[in-house]
Amino acid sequence: MAFDIDLIKKVYSQYPEKIAKAREVLNRPMTFAEKVLYTHLSEGSATKSYKRGVDYVDFDPDRVAMQDATAQMAVLQFMLSGRKTVAVPSTIHADHLITAKEGVDIDLEIANSKNKEVYDFLQSAGKKYGIGFWKPGAGIIHQIVLENYAFPGGMMIGTDSHTPNAGGLGIVAIGVGGADAVDVMAGMPWELKFPKLIGVKLTGKLNGWSAPKDIILEVAKILTVKGGTGYIIEYFGEGAESFSATGKATICNMGAEVGATTSLFAYDDNARKYLISTDRHDVAEEADKIREYLRPDDEVYANPEKYYDQLIEINLDTLEPHINGPFSPDRAWTVSEIKKAVEDNNFPKKIEVGLIGSCTNSSYEDLTRAASVVRDALSKGLKPKTEFYISPGSEQVRYTAERDGILDVFKQINAIILANACGPCIGQWDREGADKGEPNTIVTSFNRNFAKRADGNPNTHAFVASPEIVTAYTFSGDLTFNPLTDYLVNDKGEKVKLAQPTGIDLPEKGFDVKDRGFVAPAEDGASLEIVVSPDSERLQLLTPFEAWDGKDYTDLSLLIKAKGKCTTDHISMAGPWLRYRGHLDNISNNLLLSAVNAFTDLPNTKNVVTGEYGKTPEVARYYRNNKIASIIIGDENYGEGSSREHAAMEPRHMGAKVVLVRSFARIHETNLKKQGMLALTFANPVDYDKVQEDDKFDIVGLDTFAAGKQLKVVLKHKDGSVEEIMANHTYNKNQIEWFKYGSALNLIRANN
């Protein structure tokens, strides 16, 4: 039986009436994404047509999910909200803090010991405030949500950028910062600019070595890392109904890599089968009753170009397997192109490690297809040429795969089975030799391949592919290998060719698990106490940020002018820094640590007081200690990547007032607004080049700060000359109140 079945029934019972009202105001057929959005309006039934990409709209999500790294700060903020319990079903998932090294047993034992303080805090907070807790080893947040909570036609938010994974089951699932989660858990509406829509029409059927992963890798090539910003990507067509729900989840998961608000597929027979297989017959029965609403209208299928802002068509019959990388998930090559790419770009040809699993590709089907490649290779006398790691998505998947002998296949090639956790995908990989910084190549079925992402080595060239392609590469050890056409030489000196992979989308004997790892909250947690030691290095109670003083910002010093790609990994690194996610002051010691200074091409910055160059967080702390307010200048798509709000809280904590960039990634811009920062973009992007290293900055016009009204930025150069430029912003009336109060949380607490 499903969690929260009564909630799901309530949502479904309102669908017919709410869709009817929405059709009245729109006066046209509706896409599936629009149906979900209009049924979750905070106002109730629709009273007006919202303009895509323009109107800010309040929504009421059905649930909230948080992973342990971001949940710490979200819970600490919720504790300041004045609420006694969460307003909507919410869960915490302990998946990010487990370091991968030796294998599941040892790694999990170390994690439970090392992170005990954090786990105890999160579990006790869950019991007190009505939040479900999934213990370390239970699984990765997105796989757990897919198996237990996602339902077609619902809406949820999650404090992780890959929350859209759940869109494989037709739920609008959106990655947010912890402050957004606090809004919803505190019973407030959740605000979002009404998304534009990209329709992806899939024709044909996947075959041979091609997999659902290749669909999103192709989409990434088409849209690039920011082409989906402000959009929901909706997949449809005969091709969309031809593969599994978990395959759809893989595609939705990596929609984050193109900046999409979320991605989703309509409810179909594959979604129904997955719900039943994961013991949610009741959800399938309820969804069947309103099936006509859980898909685009027929007119949308017939004339999609009329109803989507952008349309992409992909023929699955001819889609070739991809391998994307290095250093950017949109840098796409097909397996027939990779050999020339290696030669032209001097990529390290030898593959050192293959890794499969993570939240992106850790389903039962993924493991069976990879296992089929191993079986075939072993039967032909081949031996692996690389190390091989597997991260199962959940204990349910792991237990079932072990029961069915799938894990035994991998153990035959000495694969290391890691904990059911994020591990190397999130940078939690204690990889031997990574500190040497040597150029090398790894191939993964993960979602991100930014420099330093997996192992901390900036020279690790990470490539992203499907699990079966990754497995094939482990037997070649050669990045130029094309499994569709090339032969390998076995231990007898014979040339052999790998057979096409085969897989099973759902276990024939059903899923099974002994201990799911779920801890339910207390029925009444009012009397429970949460203790945070003032001497803790891991946890720190929050002090509210100061409200705006009503004056223009003047004489801001330049903290850094970041050059090129500046992701949330650059602003607030993961890896070993995850241990400080609950301690704002300690984690602020990584602020912009790996951001590249436009004036030096190095990860450093100039202290304008001393004239010396140092690490950016050290300069930031110097400014903070000396009450010097600062500004951060950034390039295009600033804040791309993870939803981590620490990348917005750390600048605020260290005394930065403004982030002025050429363009923002969606989640990061919202996070900055939530924390009371001033998030601005150059009205003329070339004005980025006018910023000099020793400039002082004034922000003029804050006394009349209003939606749609530009602000003036005065650049005061060291030689005494002055330049004035204009800056745009996307603040609406409510968001300007966040700024005035000092943060959105301050406003919530005032209201409560």
Side-chain angles (χ1 to χ4, degrees):
M1 181 175 173
F3 287 90
D4 309 315
I5 186 61
D6 291 337
L7 179 150
I8 295 170
K9 288 180 178 180
K10 180 181 178 182
V11 171
Y12 285 171
S13 69
Q14 297 173 349
Y15 248 79
E17 180 182 351
K18 287 187 174 182
I19 294 297
K21 291 286 187 181
R23 283 206 180 100
E24 284 182 20
V25 298
L26 292 173
N27 195 30
R28 61 167 172 76
M30 299 176 70
T31 66
F32 179 37
E34 288 175 315
K35 292 178 181 180
V36 181
L37 293 172
Y38 275 95
T39 55
H40 285 81
L41 296 174
S42 188
E43 65 182 284
S45 295
T47 57
K48 61 174 287 189
S49 173
Y50 291 103
K51 191 172 181 180
R52 299 175 190 169
V54 176
D55 291 335
Y56 281 91
V57 182
D58 286 341
F59 294 98
D60 286 337
D62 300 312
R63 66 175 310 108
V64 173
M66 299 168 282
Q67 39 94 334
D68 51 353
T70 51
Q72 296 170 63
M73 197 57 69
V75 168
L76 287 165
Q77 290 179 90
F78 182 80
M79 290 168 66
L80 291 178
S81 72
R83 290 276 308 196
K84 302 298 184 184
T85 187
V86 292
V88 301
S90 304
T91 51
I92 295 170
H93 304 259
D95 62 355
H96 271 56
L97 301 179
I98 302 168
T99 301
K101 185 175 183 180
E102 303 292 343
V104 54
D105 294 332
I106 296 176
D107 293 349
L108 197 55
E109 182 180 353
I110 292 172
N112 276 313
S113 174
K114 185 172 67 173
N115 303 316
K116 184 178 187 304
E117 178 186 16
V118 172
Y119 294 150
D120 287 349
F121 166 71
L122 292 175
Q123 186 170 325
S124 63
K127 286 184 176 180
K128 180 175 181 64
Y129 294 116
I131 305 170
F133 180 73
W134 291 81
K135 296 186 295 186
I140 305 171
I141 177 173
H142 310 305
Q143 184 65 26
I144 294 293
V145 166
L146 195 72
E147 292 176 0
N148 296 277
Y149 299 115
F151 66 96
M155 174 185 270
M156 65 170 285
I157 61 171
T159 60
D160 189 280
S161 54
H162 293 105
T163 299
N165 185 86
L169 272 181
I171 184 171
V172 167
I174 301 176
V176 299
D180 278 350
V182 172
D183 281 0
V184 177
M185 291 191 295
M188 304 285 285
W190 175 65
E191 184 184 68
L192 178 72
K193 183 182 287 187
F194 204 91
K196 294 183 179 181
L197 299 177
I198 295 175
V200 180
K201 182 179 181 180
L202 302 179
T203 61
K205 189 175 183 179
L206 292 167
N207 61 86
W209 284 89
S210 296
K213 181 73 159 237
D214 299 305
I215 298 173
I216 185 57
L217 296 181
E218 172 72 6
V219 169
K221 176 172 68 176
I222 295 168
L223 292 177
T224 77
V225 291
K226 64 176 185 177
T229 303
Y231 290 86
I232 289 179
I233 303 177
E234 184 172 317
Y235 294 83
F236 65 96
E238 60 177 348
E241 297 184 8
S242 67
F243 55 91
S244 67
T246 52
K248 294 177 172 67
T250 292
I251 294 168
C252 293
N253 179 293
M254 280 195 67
E257 272 43 78
V258 299
T261 301
T262 193
S263 305
L264 81 163
F265 286 79
Y267 179 60
D268 63 10
D269 288 342
N270 285 307
R272 186 179 192 279
K273 286 196 303 181
Y274 186 76
L275 287 170
I276 292 172
S277 183
T278 51
D279 197 26
R280 287 176 286 173
H281 300 74
D282 45 0
V283 179
E285 290 172 4
E286 296 301 320
D288 286 341
K289 295 176 184 177
I290 62 162
R291 190 164 183 154
E292 64 182 288
Y293 298 107
L294 302 177
R295 60 192 296 279
D297 288 337
D298 290 340
E299 296 89 341
V300 176
Y301 278 123
N303 299 289
E305 65 281 353
K306 292 175 59 177
Y307 302 102
Y308 296 100
D309 299 286
Q310 183 177 345
L311 183 64
I312 297 170
E313 295 191 35
I314 298 175
N315 183 352
L316 303 186
D317 289 336
T318 58
L319 182 65
E320 189 176 343
H322 282 56
I323 176 165
N324 286 23
F327 308 135
S328 193
D330 61 346
R331 195 177 187 185
W333 322 93
T334 64
V335 289
S336 61
E337 296 170 337
I338 191 64
K339 182 175 182 179
K340 186 175 186 303
V342 171
E343 295 168 352
D344 291 348
N345 295 278
N346 198 30
F347 299 147
K349 180 180 175 182
K350 181 184 177 184
I351 299 171
E352 303 290 344
V353 186
L355 305 102
I356 66 171
S358 88
C359 65
T360 324
N361 278 104
S362 56
S363 68
Y364 185 85
E365 180 182 28
D366 289 326
L367 295 180
T368 62
R369 284 178 66 85
S372 78
V373 176
V374 175
R375 288 193 193 96
D376 179 63
L378 292 177
S379 72
K380 293 172 178 173
L382 296 171
K383 294 180 180 178
K385 300 288 191 351
T386 76
E387 297 177 28
F388 196 45
Y389 291 83
I390 298 169
S391 302
S394 70
E395 176 59 13
Q396 179 167 273
V397 167
R398 189 212 64 80
Y399 186 91
T400 305
E402 184 176 57
R403 179 201 68 188
D404 295 347
I406 297 167
L407 296 188
D408 288 337
V409 175
F410 296 123
K411 290 175 182 177
Q412 290 180 52
I413 59 170
N414 297 316
I416 296 177
I417 310 299
L418 298 171
N420 312 317
C422 302
C425 185
I426 191 59
Q428 286 285 67
W429 184 17
D430 186 1
R431 184 184 179 192
E432 187 174 349
D435 57 336
K436 297 177 182 178
E438 296 175 348
N440 73 102
T441 286
I442 65 174
V443 183
T444 83
S445 71
F446 303 160
N447 40 43
R448 292 198 170 134
N449 54 4
F450 304 142
K452 303 175 73 173
R453 172 80 175 187
D455 61 4
N457 178 1
N459 297 311
T460 292
H461 293 58
F463 292 84
V464 174
S466 68
E468 46 268 55
I469 290 293
V470 172
T471 307
Y473 275 122
T474 66
F475 284 94
S476 72
D478 183 345
L479 190 58
T480 66
F481 174 66
N482 181 353
L484 279 68
T485 59
D486 295 349
Y487 288 79
L488 297 172
V489 179
N490 67 13
D491 51 8
K492 296 179 182 179
E494 301 168 335
K495 292 178 65 177
V496 297
K497 187 178 178 184
L498 292 172
Q500 296 176 355
T502 59
I504 304 169
D505 61 344
L506 296 167
E508 295 176 358
K509 293 186 287 185
F511 284 105
D512 196 7
V513 64
K514 278 190 175 179
D515 179 9
R516 291 190 302 174
F518 177 70
V519 180
E523 289 189 14
D524 182 2
S527 62
L528 299 178
E529 185 178 1
I530 301 173
V531 178
V532 174
S533 169
D535 300 323
S536 173
E537 292 185 349
R538 300 287 300 273
L539 298 167
Q540 179 188 47
L541 295 176
L542 293 176
T543 300
F545 290 132
E546 291 182 357
W548 175 55
D549 64 5
K551 301 176 183 177
D552 285 343
Y553 291 148
T554 58
D555 289 329
L556 302 179
S557 294
L558 179 64
L559 179 57
I560 189 172
K561 180 180 177 180
K563 177 182 178 181
K565 188 183 282 286
C566 192
T567 71
T568 48
D569 277 16
H570 293 85
I571 305 167
S572 176
M573 295 175 68
W577 288 95
L578 287 174
R579 68 180 279 106
Y580 300 120
R581 283 285 181 86
H583 197 296
L584 181 56
D585 194 57
N586 282 346
I587 199 170
S588 293
N589 289 322
N590 76 3
L591 174 61
L592 291 156
L593 187 59
S594 59
V596 176
N597 186 342
F599 301 109
T600 65
D601 281 333
L602 295 171
N604 64 10
T605 197
K606 183 179 181 180
N607 185 320
V608 296
V609 177
T610 67
E612 298 177 351
Y613 289 90
K615 294 180 179 179
T616 305
E618 294 174 356
V619 174
R621 193 169 289 278
Y622 178 94
Y623 288 170
R624 180 177 188 266
N625 291 343
N626 288 277
K627 295 181 171 53
I628 299 171
S630 62
I631 183 173
I632 296 164
I633 303 296
D635 213 323
E636 296 282 2
N637 207 30
Y638 183 87
E640 168 192 348
S642 169
S643 69
R644 67 192 67 148
E645 66 184 326
H646 300 75
M649 297 184 78
E650 290 177 35
R652 183 83 161 94
H653 178 69
M654 295 292 246
K657 301 287 189 182
V658 183
V659 179
L660 172 62
V661 302
R662 281 178 162 152
S663 66
F664 281 108
R666 175 190 64 85
I667 298 176
H668 186 63
E669 182 182 21
T670 301
N671 285 348
L672 289 168
K673 293 177 180 180
K674 289 276 185 177
Q675 300 304 333
M677 292 286 288
L678 195 58
L680 305 176
T681 56
F682 292 99
N684 186 351
V686 299
D687 286 344
Y688 168 91
D689 298 322
K690 295 180 179 179
V691 174
Q692 299 176 19
E693 193 169 29
D694 294 294
D695 284 350
K696 294 285 187 178
F697 300 77
D698 294 346
I699 309 298
V700 180
L702 290 178
D703 58 336
T704 57
F705 190 15
K709 184 178 180 181
Q710 290 182 323
L711 292 169
K712 183 187 295 182
V713 180
V714 181
L715 309 179
K716 296 183 286 190
H717 302 311
K718 189 176 182 180
D719 64 4
S721 62
V722 174
E723 290 186 81
E724 294 183 354
I725 63 175
M726 300 307 295
N728 296 331
H729 65 84
T730 61
Y731 287 79
N732 60 28
K733 184 178 179 181
N734 290 338
Q735 294 169 346
I736 291 172
E737 289 300 300
W738 302 345
F739 171 76
K740 290 179 177 179
Y741 272 80
S743 72
L745 180 60
N746 287 354
L747 181 58
I748 290 174
R749 189 171 61 256
N751 289 337
N752 280 336

